[in-house]
């Protein structure tokens, strides 16, 4: 497979065309941003860790009945994925109160939730990704009702599979963000990444943060946290 021209550069990844129209190559960067791009930095080794962790988790999810964009890992930072049209939503799933939910509702971080919470945000940098509900989504035509039904079903499946998996490496899955896309044949698939950039991972015993919150909140030990997650997942660097 040939890596052709760059199609897109995001905050953490670049996307390249290939010689096959339905496939693209994602190239993970070490760049990190927070506060919707207002805070910038580099997390050494992050690109490779996020690439390998995402691929490992996507393959596991496929086996559990969640279709994904994953095709083939071609280097430590590069993966061939199906070309999709991204549904312009950030799908957030929460098991324990943290971050913006804690702020919005005044619930201390670490408070368990009685059942998983799904939230949707409209992907729009200029508007800081505002939270929306199913009525907004249907009214704007960002996804069909049928797609939204599948998105919620897949999101809860991802949650239960990942909770069980991370528990085995003594990590508590606090919350995470998913993105979905539609392939050329109209299939809805899980896309983007599942990594310490997009999940909150707490050590199940010490509650130490092992994710990007260390960067967002200037806590130090950022690279060490990514490396620790890679170590627990037995990802070779
Ligand atoms: P929040 O508490 O800031 O709303 O974040 C919830 C989860 O979603 C957390 O695991 C981080 C992830 N997330 C992203 O991956 N990208 C984003 O743009 C936002 C706002 C959150």
């Amino acid at each position: 497979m040939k890596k052709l021209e760059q199609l897109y550069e995001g905050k953490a990844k670049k996307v390249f065309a290939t010689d096959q129209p339905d496939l693209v190559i994602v190239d993970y960067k070490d760049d990190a941003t927070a506060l919707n791009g207002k805070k910038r930095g580099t997390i050494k080794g992050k690109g490779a860790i996020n690439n390998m962790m995402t691929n490992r988790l996507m393959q596991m999810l496929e086996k559990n009945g969640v279709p994904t964009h994953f095709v083939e890992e071609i280097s430590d930072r590069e993966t061939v994925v199906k070309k999709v049209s991204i549904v312009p939503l950030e799908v957030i799933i929460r098991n324990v109160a943290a971050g913006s939910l804690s702020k919005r509702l005044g619930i201390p971080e670490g408070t368990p939730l009685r059942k998983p919470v799904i939230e949707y945000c409209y992907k729009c940098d200029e508007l800081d990704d505002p939270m929306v509900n199913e009525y907004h989504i249907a009214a704007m035509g960002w996804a069909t009702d049928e797609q939204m039904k599948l998105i919620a079903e897949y999101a809860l499946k991802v949650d239960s599979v990942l909770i069980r998996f991370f528990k085995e490496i003594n990590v508590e899955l606090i919350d995470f963000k998913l993105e979905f896309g539609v392939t050329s044949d109209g299939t809805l698939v899980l896309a983007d990444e599942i990594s310490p950039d997009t999940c909150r991972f707490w050590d199940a015993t010490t509650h130490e943060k092992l994710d990007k919150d260390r960067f967002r909140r200037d806590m130090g030990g950022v690279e060490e946290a990514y490396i620790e997650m890679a170590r627990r997942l037995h990802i070779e660097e």
Side-chain angles (χ1 to χ4, degrees), residues 50-63:
N50 286 5
N51 180 42
M52 291 187 274
M53 185 185 297
T54 296
N55 293 342
R56 173 82 184 279
L57 298 176
M58 292 243 179
Q59 287 173 86
M60 187 171 74
L61 291 166
E62 284 272 359
K63 282 193 198 124

Side-chain angles (χ1 to χ4, degrees), residues 90 92 94 98-101 119 129 175-177 197-200 216:
E90 301 210 328
I92 293 168
R94 303 179 183 271
S100 69
L101 178 107
E119 295 172 352
D129 300 341
D175 57 31
F176 57 100
K177 185 263 300 180
D197 275 20
T198 63
C199 304
R200 286 195 171 95
R216 296 186 188 102

Side-chain angles (χ1 to χ4, degrees), residues 77-137:
R77 285 170 186 275
E78 295 166 302
T79 297
V80 179
V81 300
K82 290 174 191 156
K83 189 173 189 171
V84 296
S85 149
I86 286 282
V87 176
L89 297 174
E90 301 210 328
V91 179
I92 293 168
I93 299 91
R94 303 179 183 271
N95 299 304
V96 174
S100 69
L101 178 107
S102 286
K103 245 192 210 145
R104 194 174 349 114
L105 301 182
I107 300 166
E109 287 206 314
T111 309
L113 302 171
R114 283 179 183 78
K115 53 185 274 190
V117 170
I118 305 186
E119 295 172 352
Y120 303 104
C121 295
Y122 173 48
K123 268 170 71 77
C124 178
D125 283 343
E126 298 83 74
L127 298 175
D128 276 346
D129 300 341
M131 191 187 284
V132 294
N133 64 30
E134 276 110 327
Y135 289 89
H136 298 108
I137 296 165

